Each structure stands twice: as C-alpha cells, then as structure tokens.
Amino acid sequence: MQHPHPHPHRRPRRHRIVLSALGAAAALLGAGLTALGGAGTAEAATARQVEALDRGVVSVYTGSGNLVSWRWLGTDPDSVSFNVYRAGTKVNSTPVTGSTNYFHSGAPATADYTVRAVVGGVEQGDSVHAIQFRGGYKDVPVSPPSGGTTPDGVAFTYEANDASVGDLDGDGAVDLVLKWQPTNAKDNSQSGYTGNTIVDGIKLDGTRLWRIDLGRNIRSGAHYTQFQVYDYDGDRKAEVAMKTADATVDGTGAVIGNSSADYRNSSGYVLSGPEYLTMFNGQTGRAMGTVDYVPARGTVSSWGDSYGNRVDRFLAGTAYLDGSRPSLIMARGYYTRTVVAAWDWRGGAFTRRWTFDTNSSTNSGKGYDGQGSHSLSVGDVDNDGRDEIVYGSMAIDDNGAGLWTAKTGHGDAQHLGDLDPSSAGLEYFKVSESSSQPAELYLNPANGAVRWKLSACCDNGRGVAGDVWAGNDGAEVWSASDTSVRDESGATKGREPSSVNFLSWWDGDTVRELLDGTRIDKYGTSSDTRLLTASSVHSNNGTKATPSLAGDILGDWREEVIWPTTDNTALRIYSTPYETNTKITTLLHDTMYRTGLAWQNTAYNQPPHPSFFLGNGMATAPRPSVYTP
C-alpha cells in the first residue's frame, strides 16, 4: 500500500550494491563504495557483512492449500522474479514479481516445494526444499538437561528459555541456539542457589550440534547470561559469545579454568573468583578463545549494594562499529556505574576495540552513570554509516565516546527505530522505572533531545512502539501506566492496545500485530482481533511473557514466533498463513534488524526494529548495501 503523499523530509536510503568478488574484497578492506541515492542524489555507503543464506523456503498448510514463501536476499537483483515448483512441476502461471509468497490452492500438507529465481529472463537452479509447517507450525525436537539438587537440598528441572539464530555450520540455513534455564533461576535481587545454565546449538531438524554447561560459577537468571550469536570473523559460520567462569564445560567436554572451583556463597551468589569472556565455535561448541571479562567486578559494593544485586547486571549486543563488520558488545551495570566493552573477533583472537566507563576521568560527573535499561539497542543514530549503542537514557558513539545522556534514569523497556516516517533518521521511545522521572519519553537518538515526555508517575514497567494502527501516520507508542495510544507527537489517538509486551508482523499488511504470552492479536479501535492462539506451548520470563524468539527467520519478511512446548521437548515455530502483496528484502539482511534479533535475548527481551519505516503507507522498502563473505 503506497502513501498518497510521499514524505519530503525522508533522508536518502542506501541502495543495494551487488558485490563481485572484487567488490567484496574492497568491502573487507573497508573501502567506501558509492551507491546512487534517491532523487538523483549520491551517498557514500560501505557495504555491510551479512549471512550467506539460502532461500529459507517454508510451506504453511492452511486446510485449503499451502502458502509457500521465501527470502528475497540482499544480494539478489532488484528485478528478480520467482517460479514455484511442486515436486519438479511449476505451479505458477507467470513469474512471481510483486512478493515472495505464493498460495497453492488444493495441495496437501505433504506437498514438496522448491523455488527458482529468474534473473534477466534466465531461470536459476532449485532452492532448498520447503520446510513444511503442518497445522501452522513446525516442531524442532529438543532434549532437556537432567535436573539436580542445589547444596541447600532444593530440587530443580529445566525449561527451554530464550533462543537466538545463526548459521552455525555454514550450510546457508539458520540454526538455533537455546538457553536452558533451571526452574530455580533467580532475579539478582533474590538470594538462593540455582542450577547451572545450559546452552545448546540445534539444527532445525532437531540435530543437536553441541551442549555447553556454564557451570556452578555462573548464576542462572535473566540478568546473568546474555549470549550473542553472530558471524564475527566472516567465515560464514556464526560464533557464540558468552560470559564464562571456572568449571564452564564447552561443547567438546573441555573445561575452562579450574574444574573444581566453587565460588558460590551461602546465599547462592557468585561474588568472587575469575570471570571470563569466551568465544565458542558455532559448529562444535569448542571454546576458541577466552579472555578476562571486562570490567572485572572489583569491589562488589562499588556497584551499589554489598549483597550482589547490582554488580551482576549484564547486557550484550552486536554492532557494526566500523560500518562494515560486526563487533561484540559486552556490558556490566546500569543502576550506578556502567562499563561497556567492544570486542572484535578476528583471526581466532579477541581484540578490545574500546571501553566506555562512566567512572573514567573522561565521563565522570557528566550524568552517564545510572542511565541503563534492562536492555540495549543498536543502530546508526547519527547517520554516519556506523552503529551506536543506545543504553537506556544515554548513548555511546561508535568510537566508544559518550554521545549524549538525557539523565532520565533507568527503565525496563526501550525501542529504537524509524518510528516517524516524516522525520529524518531514527527515533527512540522508552519508559522509566523511577517515580521521579518521566513515565514516557520520545527522544531524538542522535543527540538525546526530548521531543516530548509524560509526567512522572510510577514504576512504569512496560512500553511498546510500533505501527499497529493504519489510522495514524507512523508508529504508535503506549505503556503500562498510560490509558491511551499516542502518536509521534505525544498526542492521544484512542484506545490503548490490549497488551504492552511484544510485536510481530504476522498478517498480510504492513501494520504490525500485538504479541503477548502465547497469542497474536490485531489492534482495532474498539477491540483487538485474535489471529493466533498457539497450542500446547508456554511463554518465558514470568510476567514478561515472551517467546523464546520472535522475528523474520524463515520465508518472506513476515515474522516467525518460537515458543517451547509445554513439556519442553520441542521448540514450536509458527509461521504466518496469510498471503501478502508486499515485497521486502529479508529482514535478516537489514543489519539493524539483524543485530536486534541478536540482542533480543538480553535481559528483558524486546522486539527488533528495522532501519527503515515498515508500516502503513510506507515508501518502497530500501534495498540494503550488503555483501556475503
């Protein structure tokens, strides 16, 4: 659906560059490549490294046929079209040009599909065979670890918790990385022993590639283990980065550090002993490199309390700090002192790019301390081609320098994206936990300027930003403490949605849907409409009620949702049964969205947002400037 009035203030977007081998080499060297922008303008753009993905074809059975959908890759030509084949016989009469889905009426759930791209009038070879979603979902079998008993005699079992995706073995298909959390996992404010945190690498057919046991010296809970899955070194295989400790066991059975060390105190906290950062091989789970975690905990009380609540608040992410290749972001602290370290993984070794410390002589006294949220966001907020880290009520520039601080304190939820299509650049919405700070804030993330805010009221625990209603131009925002949905100017626009949690592009239009617990709803001005109620699954993370993962991981640009089954023996992936006439490059090749998927599991999970406005009345979606290594 095209907006009748083009947005005159929209900045030029980078157009896709199809890279030859020579072009890819130039990108690896960080060369600036020029791409034509809109309206006759030109803009320098460095291509970004992305995954070399297959078509990700899915076939979703609806009862009256199969919806077949597939990826439009960032490396495909703009003019590519597609033919759909069932068991070698073409089922479409003319090439599919305006979308990357096709409904094959009357076919059974068992029908076998492939897709062939047509480039310059020449049909290419077969894609991978479609993954079949019977009953609307596909189950990926998983095996819960054995439970145990803590030193104080408390028995525990395991539940499937947060997940992430990446091509672990280099075959072009996405694989899953799953965190198993013991039933006695704790918030940092709660004392008590926990079971070990376990992490699995799993293919979509259920094959387990490896299992990592983080050991007794990594406490279990939402704030302790943030895992990043990304191809950091450009070898076409995703690595897995996590904080580790003595007695962590990698995927090959090798132990990191001292296997017998036990640093747990009588309250179950781990407040002594070495702390490490480890990069694991995504295919084997082998620990390839381990360094000291930055920052060290130092004196526990210097982080705000003496019993261990604030010292072990960790965040993690992935960012294109040089504009071309991804770097790992690992952080500690947000209530008082904050330290953020950026790491490169190249040639089998860690190199620390920079460290931002609110206690440093450069930053001390400038209001950067105490500004972090229970999550972070990554994006190019100043439009210089390189990513920044938005860390609650402050931002860190791509070079590790403080960019701005709004001095509005800690919050539970934040959203960075192109929320207002009439305004150049990205926008930023967050809520505040402190009863002395604005309940909601809408900021310019380039400089921290507040566009509007609501009066302080309370601990405002949840907030969402997304275009869930076609009746407003741009994304709507709402929060747990408000009674209305608001537009980009802060004006009330009507009834608040029924949930304040998560989002999903699920049906055929470009308006995003509401995701909460184990259901998906479509917002309406009088009431919401149920589109999906998932069966025999559970949500995660208590009142946050989040899935293991939600995002565009298969098929076209719409988003899949992954929940664990009630008995934790499978990850149940749901994919949309709705046709769409909108064609958008796979969101896995929009690096802001892709890094958002990577940090989704961090602390209080938040949905990813792309670098461009995706919603009602949107302009034609831009093609990304990307290359595959």
Side-chain angles (χ1 to χ4, degrees):
M1 192 185 312
Q2 294 298 316
H3 198 280
H5 305 292
H7 303 299
H9 305 298
R10 178 175 289 282
R11 65 190 183 281
R13 296 293 191 180
R14 293 192 189 109
H15 286 213
R16 181 189 51 82
I17 305 169
V18 178
L19 289 170
S20 63
L22 179 62
L28 283 169
L29 294 172
L33 302 178
T34 302
L36 293 178
T41 63
E43 171 181 70
T46 299
R48 292 190 173 198
Q49 173 193 311
V50 294
E51 292 153 300
L53 298 170
D54 62 25
R55 286 281 164 217
V57 188
V58 298
S59 170
V60 181
Y61 183 64
T62 67
S64 60
N66 294 303
L67 179 67
V68 183
S69 79
W70 58 91
R71 297 181 181 121
W72 184 22
L73 301 171
T75 50
D76 283 330
D78 291 352
S79 59
V80 68
S81 59
F82 298 93
N83 289 322
V84 180
Y85 285 80
R86 177 188 173 188
T89 300
K90 188 167 70 168
V91 298
N92 56 304
S93 57
T94 58
V96 179
T97 59
S99 68
T100 53
N101 67 172
Y102 179 83
F103 186 74
H104 188 207
S105 179
T110 55
D112 178 27
Y113 296 98
T114 58
V115 171
R116 299 178 191 175
V118 180
V119 178
V122 179
E123 188 177 72
Q124 310 298 301
D126 257 338
S127 69
V128 293
H129 290 257
I131 298 172
Q132 295 175 349
F133 283 69
R134 304 180 188 182
Y137 62 80
K138 173 186 170 52
D139 279 354
V140 178
V142 294
S143 301
S146 300
T149 305
T150 52
D152 55 356
V154 176
F156 62 89
T157 57
Y158 278 93
E159 294 178 332
N161 190 250
D162 293 333
S164 194
V165 292
D167 182 1
L168 299 178
D169 56 6
D171 65 357
V174 294
D175 306 299
L176 299 173
V177 175
L178 172 66
K179 180 174 76 170
W180 291 98
Q181 196 158 274
T183 49
N184 59 357
K186 306 291 184 188
D187 184 83
N188 298 48
S189 63
Q190 301 168 334
S191 63
Y193 292 97
T194 73
N196 298 359
T197 299
I198 309 294
V199 181
D200 286 352
I202 307 162
K203 294 185 70 64
L204 291 184
D205 65 2
T207 301
R208 194 171 78 208
L209 298 174
W210 44 262
R211 170 164 284 176
I212 294 168
D213 183 344
L214 290 179
R216 66 182 75 87
N217 296 308
I218 296 288
R219 203 165 183 248
S220 292
H223 303 289
Y224 293 102
T225 294
Q226 327 301 347
F227 56 100
Q228 289 297 289
V229 182
Y230 222 88
D231 180 8
Y232 292 104
D233 59 5
D235 67 351
R236 292 194 174 214
K237 298 179 182 180
E239 290 80 42
V240 182
M242 288 182 284
K243 181 176 180 286
T244 57
D246 281 352
T248 292
V249 181
D250 78 1
T252 71
V255 179
I256 295 173
N258 181 351
S259 62
S260 61
D262 188 346
Y263 300 108
R264 295 172 294 181
N265 65 22
S266 58
S267 296
Y269 289 97
V270 179
L271 303 179
S272 62
E275 300 175 287
Y276 308 124
L277 171 64
T278 299
M279 189 67 79
F280 294 94
N281 183 295
Q283 186 166 9
T284 66
R286 178 176 63 87
M288 298 186 292
T290 296
V291 294
D292 289 336
Y293 192 86
V294 175
R297 69 170 68 84
T299 303
V300 170
S301 59
S302 70
W303 295 89
D305 62 64
S306 59
Y307 71 97
N309 180 9
R310 288 168 171 80
V311 66
D312 279 358
R313 298 283 182 157
F314 300 103
L315 300 180
T318 296
Y320 288 76
L321 300 174
D322 65 358
S324 179
R325 301 184 70 186
S327 298
L328 172 67
I329 304 297
M330 299 298 282
R332 179 180 223 139
Y334 39 73
Y335 290 121
T336 52
R337 179 190 180 195
T338 289
V339 183
V340 181
W343 300 88
D344 289 340
W345 176 257
R346 311 276 190 267
F350 278 114
T351 303
R352 188 154 30 121
R353 181 178 281 266
W354 48 253
T355 305
F356 172 91
D357 189 343
T358 57
N359 279 9
S360 71
S361 58
T362 302
N363 299 319
S364 181
K366 295 184 178 179
Y368 286 107
D369 53 307
Q371 301 302 311
S373 290
H374 286 304
S375 183
L376 52 72
S377 298
V378 172
D380 179 10
V381 302
D382 54 9
N383 205 30
D384 64 356
R386 299 180 296 273
D387 285 346
E388 285 73 44
I389 295 93
V390 180
Y391 200 90
S393 293
M394 68 170 185
I396 303 168
D397 208 351
D398 55 83
N399 61 3
L403 186 62
W404 54 262
T405 174
K407 302 180 183 178
T408 56
H410 168 74
D412 280 8
Q414 60 181 49
H415 296 267
L416 176 70
D418 192 350
L419 307 178
D420 179 3
S422 68
S423 178
L426 304 176
E427 289 77 38
Y428 181 54
F429 174 73
K430 73 176 290 288
V431 296
S432 299
E433 184 173 294
S434 172
S435 59
S436 64
Q437 297 289 359
E440 295 178 14
L441 288 153
Y442 197 98
L443 301 93
N444 178 354
N447 56 20
V450 177
R451 284 174 54 171
W452 59 265
K453 61 185 178 182
L454 299 186
S455 299
C457 71
C458 50
D459 176 352
N460 194 13
R462 306 295 279 171
V464 183
D467 186 18
V468 298
W469 178 46
N472 171 56
D473 185 14
E476 294 75 48
V477 301
W478 66 101
S479 76
S481 73
D482 204 358
T483 57
S484 300
V485 65
R486 296 176 184 270
D487 67 11
E488 62 274 9
S489 69
T492 59
K493 304 297 286 189
R495 186 186 69 86
E496 187 179 29
S498 60
S499 63
V500 193
N501 188 17
F502 230 76
L503 298 168
S504 174
W505 278 293
W506 183 253
D507 65 7
D509 60 38
T510 53
V511 171
R512 215 168 186 185
E513 278 67 56
L514 308 169
L515 170 58
D516 186 47
T518 58
R519 64 186 186 271
I520 294 175
D521 294 322
K522 191 169 188 66
Y523 174 79
T525 54
S526 58
S527 64
D528 298 337
T529 302
R530 180 65 41 85
L531 298 183
L532 174 71
T533 301
S535 61
S536 302
V537 298
H538 68 80
S539 61
N540 290 319
N541 305 314
T543 59
K544 308 302 179 289
T546 48
S548 289
L549 187 71
D552 175 19
I553 64 171
L554 293 165
D556 61 31
W557 56 274
R558 271 88 58 80
E559 295 178 299
E560 283 68 42
V561 187
I562 306 176
W563 287 283
T565 54
T566 306
D567 61 4
N568 294 294
T569 61
L571 292 177
R572 182 159 290 178
I573 308 175
Y574 280 84
S575 189
T576 182
Y578 296 95
E579 292 184 78
T580 183
N581 59 9
T582 300
K583 185 178 181 181
I584 298 175
T585 308
T586 175
L587 296 180
L588 288 172
H589 280 173
D590 181 89
T591 56
M592 180 170 166
Y593 184 94
R594 182 66 186 88
T595 56
L597 265 190
W599 57 248
Q600 184 179 135
N601 69 81
T602 294
Y604 292 172
N605 306 14
Q606 304 295 331
H609 297 278
S611 63
F612 58 94
F613 176 71
L614 203 173
N616 182 64
M618 65 183 288
T620 300
R623 302 299 315 281
S625 298
V626 299
Y627 72 93
T628 55

